[in-house]
Amino acid sequence: SLGIQRFNLDQVVWKPGWKKTPVAERDARIDSIVQRDSWIVDVVSKAVLDKADVIVFLDVPRWRCIRRALRRNLPYLFRSRPELPARCPEVLILPTLLRIIWRFNRHIRPGILEVRPGVVSGVSTMQCAALSSEPLFFHVHSDALRAVCMNELISLYGPSFDDRHVR
């Protein structure tokens, strides 16, 4: 383990009963996370992307996203997942989640690639850092690039960085 706290923004975005957190409160909570010295966040958020030193965009096929969402959410169909507020059973949000996954490539993916259009592959982390003040951006869309990403992250953070951080 890296000893870096991981945040799931579902806890920030949602209130009990799948009520959205008011924008000002949500933004303040995200800001309090990204102001820390180190953090890991697993979500798409412009505020997070703007503050990150390293971004790993896992650009996986739609079928894999759907399979992972179902595997994660079906056991909690009628109750809240442990990382969610109370009264957030998946049955109420699953159709919306599947719609987001289905539309991701057309509506969300282009915005991520516009924010950080570069791809790190085959270039050492130190070389990338020397070439740009931009955060390192790994666009991982194949198993080969996942291996490159893992090697670069291990060279940056040491062997304590393992596959559990990039799924």
Side-chain angles (χ1 to χ4, degrees):
S1 168
L2 291 172
I4 298 174
Q5 187 171 359
R6 179 181 170 267
F7 296 90
N8 182 321
L9 288 194
D10 280 345
Q11 298 165 335
V12 172
V13 173
W14 299 110
K15 296 251 186 216
W18 287 117
K19 303 290 185 218
K20 286 188 178 181
T21 302
V23 173
E25 180 183 343
R26 181 200 66 206
D27 291 348
R29 291 172 71 187
I30 290 173
D31 194 50
S32 74
I33 292 170
V34 299
Q35 294 302 321
R36 296 167 181 251
D37 289 336
S38 58
W39 41 269
I40 296 174
V41 173
D42 62 347
V43 74
V44 176
S45 160
K46 183 166 178 11
V48 171
L49 292 174
D50 288 344
K51 297 286 186 170
D53 295 328
V54 178
I55 300 165
V56 180
F57 173 34
L58 300 177
D59 194 2
V60 297
R62 181 183 293 152
W63 65 267
R64 186 176 290 166
C65 289
I66 291 171
R67 185 181 75 203
R68 287 177 177 174
L70 292 174
R71 186 173 46 204
R72 178 187 76 172
N73 296 45
L74 286 179
Y76 298 97
L77 202 56
F78 300 105
R79 58 191 170 110
S80 295
R81 284 183 277 129
E83 66 271 16
L84 286 173
R87 300 184 321 277
C88 290
E90 297 298 327
V91 69
L92 298 178
I93 199 80
L94 195 56
T96 301
L97 177 62
L98 293 174
R99 195 169 31 259
I100 290 168
I101 293 169
W102 192 259
R103 296 176 177 172
F104 186 87
N105 285 343
R106 190 173 16 154
H107 295 282
I108 299 170
R109 182 180 184 271
I112 294 170
L113 295 176
E114 282 176 16
V115 171
R116 304 285 187 255
V119 176
V120 175
S121 66
V123 181
S124 81
T125 303
M126 298 311 157
Q127 289 172 322
C128 290
L131 295 174
S132 172
S133 62
E134 292 290 313
L136 294 177
F137 180 80
F138 294 90
H139 181 192
V140 180
H141 51 86
S142 71
D143 288 338
L145 286 176
R146 182 178 179 183
V148 169
C149 174
M150 287 306 304
N151 288 336
E152 292 297 321
L153 291 170
I154 289 168
S155 75
L156 185 63
Y157 295 105
S160 63
F161 195 94
D162 61 38
D163 223 24
R164 291 172 296 161
H165 296 95
V166 181
R167 279 188 259 244

